[in-house]
Amino acid sequence: MSERWARTFLTAYRFAGAAAYPLVGPYVAWRTSRGKEDRIRRRERYGIAGRERPEGPVIWIHAASVGETIAVVPLVESILDYGVNIVLTTGTVTSAQVAEERLGDRIIHQYVPLDLKPAVSRFLDHWRPDLAIIAESEIWPMTILELGARRVPQVLVNGRLSDRSYKSWKKRANIAEALFENLAHVVAQSDVDGKRFLSLGARPVTVSGNLKVDTTPPPADERALYTLKRQIGARPTWAAISTHDGEEAVAAEVHAMLHKRHHGLLTIVVPRHPDRAEALAAQISGMGLKVVRRSKGDRIIADTDILLGDTMGEMGLYLRLTEIAFVGRSLTSEGGQNPLEPAMLDTAVLAGRNVQNFRETYQRLLDSGGAKLVRDRDMLAGAVNFLLTNEVARHEMMAAGAATVEEMRGALALTLKSLEPYIQPLVVKSRLKGANGR
């Protein structure tokens, strides 16, 4: 594919919009489905603002979903200390709730516009951002091109490219380069991510580490925690969190294998997508196990086998109920989920071998003894059994994970240093406007 062809494609994309391209149009439609929209604020997805633009410089920060939103909260708070206005966009209802809970009215929250020219143009015409900061791997061609055409600096922070995404972009290297040249700076999570962005044409690229390491542990409602702990009592527990299809059944099978050996064992299963809870409860009950659902307010009693954590935003609650956590999307699915939250909360981390999306984080935990990878169900059962049986080994693993997280901190400071050349002129501009206003 020639560079000329790539630029022709992107020019056509910019003027025709995502709907003109079969690979992109369905993705945009998918993004707005699956119950992720706030129907009252749907107009924001078409770039129609729900608020007035404030006076002075505006920084637009985008974080797609819950994980990215939590990761950028400390960054947002640090930028707010400079006295610059922030418009934070997210793509889901739950991430909007996180923004409201953690940042309140200190920022302006909007739902991110669809990656269609009319929507993006309306959004940019209204907010007129002076700087755009995009978190992780949100590479939206139309948005990048429109910001580039308006000469708005764009910085990708906490940048990450999974194996699959990188291979996909490499097949379209000229398109990638024509897009990534619009980025003023890429702040990558790891050396591997940094090299990948460089090979795709991004300049300059620096490596900061993972912003998620610099976040606080996920919170828990103290009253709910107290209630559940009283119901569980002294029973041994372990958890399978952020699970994907097939992993819940594996967790239930592990429970069946171990519950006679560990009297009163309670297994906590937290599916990545709680909307699967009805089917999961029926499936696990069909295996002869007694299930209670957190969303129903069911009480944990003596013969309860499985607590199904089918709620959003309560990972901190579930992790505080155990000292052992298997992290999903790693045994029957690929890519893995982030192990940092359990490690932060002094939890021994187990996972399958398919953890490519968090390779560096897992490697650090494995090297320190804070995590262990398992091959299959039987190996998972053996690891859980060992940790339940050996308190000293379990506590050593928990401490190693927590210590590793502390050693990995520092991404926030490095990210702010990379952003400083773009933020400082806006700080000066804001202060001058304030002085003139007086």
Side-chain angles (χ1 to χ4, degrees):
M1 183 188 297
S2 69
E3 183 175 353
R4 180 179 179 185
W5 190 95
R7 294 185 184 282
T8 300
F9 175 90
L10 288 174
T11 301
Y13 181 92
R14 182 179 170 207
F15 285 100
Y21 296 92
L23 291 176
V24 184
Y27 173 72
V28 171
W30 176 82
R31 291 283 298 188
T32 60
S33 63
R34 302 176 68 201
K36 290 188 175 183
E37 285 191 294
D38 182 339
R39 294 184 178 277
I40 297 175
R41 297 173 58 185
R42 182 180 290 176
R43 286 159 56 92
E44 293 173 21
R45 300 305 304 272
Y46 298 94
I48 301 171
R51 299 268 298 275
E52 291 296 318
R53 185 194 189 279
E55 293 293 324
V58 167
I59 296 176
W60 171 25
I61 299 180
H62 174 62
S65 57
V66 172
E68 291 85 357
T69 304
I70 292 171
V72 301
V73 165
L75 179 63
V76 170
E77 291 176 328
S78 297
I79 296 173
L80 285 171
D81 289 341
Y82 289 116
V84 181
N85 299 304
I86 291 178
V87 173
L88 175 66
T89 59
T90 63
T92 65
V93 173
T94 48
S95 54
Q97 291 170 346
V98 169
E100 170 63 27
E101 290 168 2
R102 303 204 178 190
L103 296 166
D105 58 6
R106 290 181 291 166
I107 53 99
I108 297 172
H109 176 268
Q110 297 282 278
Y111 284 103
V112 67
L114 298 172
D115 199 43
L116 301 167
K117 180 174 173 54
V120 174
S121 294
R122 274 192 291 267
F123 180 89
L124 296 178
D125 286 344
H126 178 83
W127 295 108
R128 304 189 310 280
D130 299 273
L131 170 65
I133 299 173
I134 306 162
E136 293 213 13
S137 54
E138 287 288 284
I139 311 299
W140 286 15
M142 179 62 63
T143 302
I144 290 174
L145 291 170
E146 285 299 298
L147 285 166
R150 296 167 190 244
R151 301 188 182 280
V152 177
Q154 306 174 62
V155 181
L156 182 67
V157 300
N158 219 36
R160 178 172 65 89
L161 280 175
S162 67
D163 293 350
R164 182 179 297 179
S165 294
Y166 179 60
K167 289 176 183 176
S168 178
W169 281 116
K170 284 294 284 184
K171 291 176 183 177
R172 303 165 181 84
N174 288 315
I175 292 178
E177 185 172 356
L179 271 177
F180 291 164
E181 71 177 9
N182 288 278
L183 300 178
H185 200 126
V186 172
V187 186
Q189 285 189 24
S190 69
D191 290 332
V192 171
D193 293 308
K195 290 174 182 176
R196 288 177 173 180
F197 280 111
L198 281 170
S199 74
L200 294 173
R203 299 288 190 280
V205 175
T206 56
V207 176
S208 67
N210 193 338
L211 278 175
K212 290 177 180 175
V213 183
D214 284 359
T215 61
T216 57
D221 180 272
E222 290 297 329
R223 182 175 294 180
L225 181 61
Y226 175 77
T227 298
L228 290 177
K229 281 189 170 183
R230 281 195 63 185
Q231 292 175 12
I232 295 170
R235 297 175 62 177
T237 65
W238 76 285
I241 65 169
S242 299
T243 51
H244 286 241
D245 190 27
E247 291 172 332
E248 297 87 5
V250 168
E253 289 168 358
V254 168
H255 177 91
M257 295 166 70
L258 298 180
H259 80 282
K260 290 183 180 178
R261 188 173 302 182
H262 300 279
H263 179 70
L265 179 65
L266 177 71
T267 296
I268 303 161
V269 177
V270 187
R272 177 69 172 174
H273 302 293
D275 54 0
R276 299 171 52 235
E278 195 76 36
L280 290 175
Q283 179 187 19
I284 296 171
S285 296
M287 297 168 66
L289 300 175
K290 296 192 175 181
V291 183
V292 298
R293 292 175 59 181
R294 167 71 178 152
S295 66
K296 302 289 188 183
D298 296 339
R299 181 178 175 82
I300 300 169
I301 56 178
D303 63 351
T304 298
D305 293 297
I306 308 287
L307 167 60
L308 188 57
D310 56 344
T311 55
M312 293 293 294
E314 291 195 309
M315 187 62 76
L317 174 68
Y318 301 125
L319 287 173
R320 285 175 172 85
L321 298 175
T322 188
E323 295 180 342
I324 306 167
F326 164 80
V327 183
R329 199 186 177 188
S330 60
L331 204 57
T332 63
S333 299
E334 292 188 358
Q337 296 289 170
N338 197 334
L340 287 170
E341 288 185 344
M344 285 178 187
L345 287 170
D346 297 317
T347 306
V349 174
L350 302 172
R353 294 182 173 183
N354 302 313
V355 292
Q356 302 90 329
N357 291 352
F358 300 93
R359 184 181 289 112
E360 182 167 328
T361 301
Y362 271 103
Q363 192 59 60
R364 294 284 295 269
L365 288 169
L366 290 168
D367 290 346
S368 71
K372 179 180 176 61
L373 300 186
V374 299
R375 180 178 57 253
D376 52 26
R377 179 202 65 184
D378 291 347
M379 194 172 175
L380 175 60
V384 173
N385 177 60
F386 175 80
L387 291 171
L388 287 172
T389 304
N390 296 274
E391 183 177 356
V392 172
R394 183 172 75 248
H395 285 178
E396 286 176 351
M397 195 170 174
M398 293 158 54
T404 302
V405 172
E406 288 303 314
E407 291 170 4
M408 291 172 65
R409 293 189 186 276
L412 177 60
L414 291 172
T415 300
L416 285 168
K417 184 177 180 180
S418 296
L419 288 170
E420 190 173 354
Y422 308 99
I423 294 177
Q424 280 303 323
L426 304 183
V427 174
V428 173
K429 183 178 177 181
S430 180
R431 288 173 179 171
L432 286 174
K433 185 169 185 63
N436 293 335
R438 290 195 300 270

